[in-house]
Structures are given as C-alpha cells and as structure tokens.
Amino acid sequence: MKLATKLIHAGQEPDPSTGAIMTPIYQTSTYVQEAPGVNKGYEYARSQNPTRKALEECLAAIENGAFGLSFGSGVAATDTVMKLLRPGDEVIAADDMYGGTYRLFTKIYEPMGVRFHFVNMGNPENIRPLINANTKLVWTESPTNPLMSITDIAAVAAICKENKILLTVDNTFATPWLQNPLDLGADIVLHSGTKYLGGHSDLIHGCLMMNDPELREKLYFIQKSCGAVPGPMDCFLVLRGLKTLHVRMKAHCENGRTIAHYLRNHPKVGHVYWPGFEDHPNHDIAKMQMRDFGGMMSFILTDASGEAARRFLTGTHLFALAESLGGVESLVNHPASMTHASIPKAERDRIGVVEGLIRLSVGIEDVEDLIADLDAALNKV
Ligand SMILES: *Cc1c(COP(=O)(O)O)cnc(C)c1O
C-alpha cells in the first residue's frame, strides 16, 4: 500500500459489532472477563484500548515500522525512551532541538546521573569524538527546531550501528509524508502528534515507532508501568487527522515555498532558515532524505533587535502569536522567549536562537492572504 492509502486505512477495519466505518472511541477503563484470565485481549485500558490499537497500527504503517506506541504527549514519548537509560549512561544530542526535550534532558535526567553531550549534528563526524563505552543513545531532529538544520540521518545511523548505539530521530517537523527515518537506519522515530499528525491544534499526543520487537517490548513495559497513555478520544482525533496528512502537507509545502521566497526577497528580512534554498548548508541532504521541505521556517529581521522582532510579532493578524506548530492555521512564535525559553540565554546565543529570531508555522490558508498579513507586519517594523 502507498502512504496516502495507509494514512486513511491502516489499522482500521469497520467495527465488527455495528459496521461503523470509523473506529469507535472506546471510552472504557476496563473489560469484562468470562473467567479469570479469559478475555478478548483487553484487560485494563492503561495496557490496551481498541481505539489506541488502531492508531498504533496506523502509526507503525506510515513510518514503515513494525510497531507503534502511542502516548499522552510528545514529551511523554521522549521520557519513555529516556527510561531505557541508567545512571552513568551517556547521550549525544543535537544542540538545536525542541526546548522541552532539552529541559527534560538537563533538568530531569542529568540530575539522575545521565550525561549529555550537545553537538551540531549538521556534520555527523562531530559525534565520533564523544563516543565511549557509556554512550547508549544518540538523539536528533531533522529539520531541527527552530533553526531548520538538517541531519544526515543515514550517516548518523551508520555511526550508531558501528558502535551499537540506539538512534532516536524526532520526525515531528518533517512528518512521515516527507521523511521516514526508520528507512534511513534509525532505531526509534518519535513524533509529537500534537503537531502535523493531529494537524488541527486540538489535542496533545506523542508516539514512537520502531522495528525491533525486543525494543518494542521494553518501551511498552515502561509505558504500562509508568502510565503515560493517551485517552481514546485523542487517539480518535489523531486517526482522523492522519486521514488528511498528505493533502495538508502538500498545501503546507506549497505555501511554505512561496513564503520562504517572499521573505528572502523582502528588504526588511535578513537570513531565512529554510532547507529548500539551494544555499542552505545541507540542502543536498535534505533533498536526498525528504520528499519536500515543509511549512516550517525561521528568519531574522535586518534590524535583528528583540524590539523589532516584538513589533513584528504583535503586528500580524492571520499568523497568530502562539507556541506549537503544524496545525492548518498559521502561527508565529518567538523562540527565545516562548518555545526555547528553557534553554539558558548563553547557550541560545551560541547556537543562534537569538532575540531577533522569528519562527513561522505556515498554515494552509490562501497564500496571498498570508503574504498580505506578513507584509502589513513588516511595514510596522
Ligand atoms: C512539540 C514538540 C515536542 C513535544 O511534544 P508535546 O506533544 O508538546 O509533548 C517534541 N519535539 C518537537 C520537535 C516538537 O515540536
């Protein structure tokens, strides 16, 4: 089956009891047993739920994985991977990534004795000097949040395989429509389903996909033991969102391309971070591992002050000033004070998440209206 068909059908059969074509929301905590231990495969809803099961099968299929696990949020999925580790273990992570992941690593797991090395993953060779006998996990995003750097996933996966290190790729920005990290050699793919998979800014959800059955068992055991499960209503909403992922992503990519070029040609805009530009440092790798370049981008005004950025951020109407991304509606965000505020300022400045940086999640409204909105805001700067 091709991806567009899997998005609509994978894991979903008409409900056997009624024929309902849409997977019902099994809003139940427990399941009646015929005799002790005799049941229909469901015992208690922290462990199993039919709506969640349909979603997990669909999620596995769209990332070309054997297994999917579905969580109450993206960070709950990240937390579950981190619980594979023990004090003394070391992690090599991208130095440009989601602020909440950085916070979980440095504020929760570092004090518990896990050691982190943050490197620029734009060059996979940066990983090698940090590998030692304690290195258990490499963590990267591509494109990264918010600077849109590209990691050569196949090259990083090769280094990880050579050294028997687990590789997790956060594929939230790209979505399974644009990129499939398991096919490139990653061990675990993570998504914040809150973003493009749900696609309508109406839920919080996360997921992990993988091929190794032993790894699946370990992660499922942690989830069952620690309880980071999604509710059936949210699973239903993600299933519904997935049915249009391909249609939405085509529109996000098309609008994203038009707006990236518009910004780049605007006299009040300085650098635009978007992997679709031929002079993006890893454009060739992006072209190789992605089907298109998506609707996320960041830029700096020619007046790179925080004050100019603030005037722009309060000057848009259609682009709503909000955290999050990947919904049908366009959003604008100030990483330094919003999504990435949990990263210390010195570290933010070092990697380029400066006061003047603005991030856009380009939605699927009419692109002429979006450009008129950006134009009006730029005129106020
Ligand atoms: C939002 C996000 C997360 C965290 O997901 P939640 O659903 O908010 O918990 C992780 N990674 C990336 C890239 C994100 O954008």
Side-chain angles (χ1 to χ4, degrees):
M1 249 195 270
K2 295 274 193 351
L3 185 49
T5 314
K6 289 190 207 170
L7 283 164
I8 294 168
H9 293 287
Q12 296 155 82
E13 295 293 335
D15 178 47
S17 63
T18 61
I21 191 160
M22 288 301 144
T23 308
I25 302 162
Y26 284 89
Q27 195 75 49
T28 187
S29 60
T30 192
Y31 308 87
V32 175
Q33 312 205 4
E34 282 165 48
V38 182
N39 58 58
K40 298 182 164 65
Y42 297 93
E43 296 154 320
Y44 185 62
R46 177 161 24 82
S47 307
Q48 318 97 353
N49 176 284
T51 318
R52 185 169 127 206
K53 179 166 179 277
L55 174 60
E56 290 180 339
E57 285 178 11
C58 187
L59 290 168
I62 62 177
E63 276 292 10
N64 301 326
F67 308 102
L69 290 172
S70 179
F71 295 84
S73 69
V75 294
T78 305
D79 182 58
T80 300
V81 176
M82 296 311 292
K83 283 179 173 139
L84 294 169
L85 304 180
R86 293 293 172 265
D89 287 349
E90 298 192 13
V91 178
I92 303 169
D95 63 3
D96 173 31
M97 62 176 184
Y98 179 65
T101 307
Y102 182 87
R103 181 174 57 199
L104 182 69
F105 287 2
T106 56
K107 295 289 192 307
I108 306 291
Y109 280 95
E110 210 158 54
M112 287 200 224
V114 177
R115 190 155 175 230
F116 294 89
H117 305 271
F118 296 98
V119 295
N120 181 340
M121 293 261 178
N123 179 3
E125 292 305 317
N126 290 345
I127 299 170
R128 275 191 210 276
L130 296 167
I131 295 175
N132 62 48
N134 296 326
T135 312
K136 296 289 159 57
L137 177 67
V138 167
W139 192 284
T140 192
E141 299 176 6
S142 190
T144 60
N145 180 0
L147 292 170
M148 306 304 295
S149 307
I150 298 294
T151 305
D152 184 337
I153 296 171
V156 172
I159 296 171
C160 290
K161 288 251 146 42
E162 229 176 88
N163 294 281
K164 298 195 167 55
I165 301 167
L166 210 59
L167 171 62
T168 300
V169 176
D170 182 337
N171 204 29
T172 300
F173 267 35
T175 80
W177 181 252
L178 297 182
Q179 174 174 282
N180 300 115
L182 294 179
D183 292 348
L184 299 167
D187 299 295
I188 302 174
V189 173
L190 178 142
H191 284 274
S192 167
T194 312
K195 317 294 168 54
Y196 286 105
L197 303 189
H200 296 77
S201 307
D202 53 7
L203 58 92
I204 296 284
H205 173 268
C207 55
L208 301 174
M209 293 79 138
M210 72 292 307
N211 278 315
D212 178 2
E214 231 176 277
L215 184 58
R216 189 262 173 203
E217 279 320 299
K218 282 187 196 167
L219 292 165
Y220 174 68
F221 182 79
I222 295 169
Q223 179 182 40
K224 188 168 79 168
S225 305
C226 301
V229 297
M233 177 73 190
D234 288 342
C235 292
F236 171 86
L237 284 171
V238 177
L239 274 171
R240 188 168 74 163
L242 286 176
K243 289 181 196 294
T244 55
L245 180 70
H246 52 308
V247 185
R248 288 185 283 111
M249 285 314 292
K250 284 178 198 166
H252 282 296
C253 290
E254 195 182 312
N255 281 0
R257 175 176 282 102
T258 306
I259 287 180
H261 284 94
Y262 158 80
L263 288 172
R264 191 178 184 147
N265 292 323
H266 197 287
K268 287 192 180 168
V269 176
H271 193 76
V272 182
Y273 298 87
W274 182 66
F277 290 132
E278 273 176 27
D279 57 0
H280 181 286
N282 276 343
H283 174 72
D284 290 345
I285 294 159
K287 239 170 97 174
M288 213 160 52
Q289 67 189 19
M290 298 174 76
R291 289 178 194 88
D292 204 338
F293 305 107
M296 295 301 300
M297 65 196 64
S298 296
F299 65 96
I300 299 187
L301 297 167
T302 41
D303 174 355
S305 67
E307 188 40 43
R310 256 177 290 280
R311 270 198 298 277
F312 176 84
L313 290 159
T314 52
T316 58
H317 293 288
L318 274 177
F319 278 87
L321 179 62
E323 299 202 8
S324 200
L325 59 109
V328 289
E329 71 291 328
S330 295
L331 298 180
V332 60
N333 165 52
H334 185 230
S337 69
M338 295 167 67
T339 45
H340 292 70
S342 54
I343 300 175
K345 182 168 184 325
E347 178 64 7
R348 283 203 312 263
D349 287 344
R350 188 185 70 76
I351 61 176
V353 182
V354 292
E355 285 294 314
L357 187 77
I358 293 163
R359 190 188 77 183
L360 298 182
S361 171
V362 175
I364 62 172
E365 301 95 334
D366 188 289
V367 76
E368 284 180 24
D369 290 333
L370 294 180
I371 285 178
D373 192 44
L374 294 173
D375 229 31
L378 285 168
N379 279 336
K380 290 181 189 141
V381 175

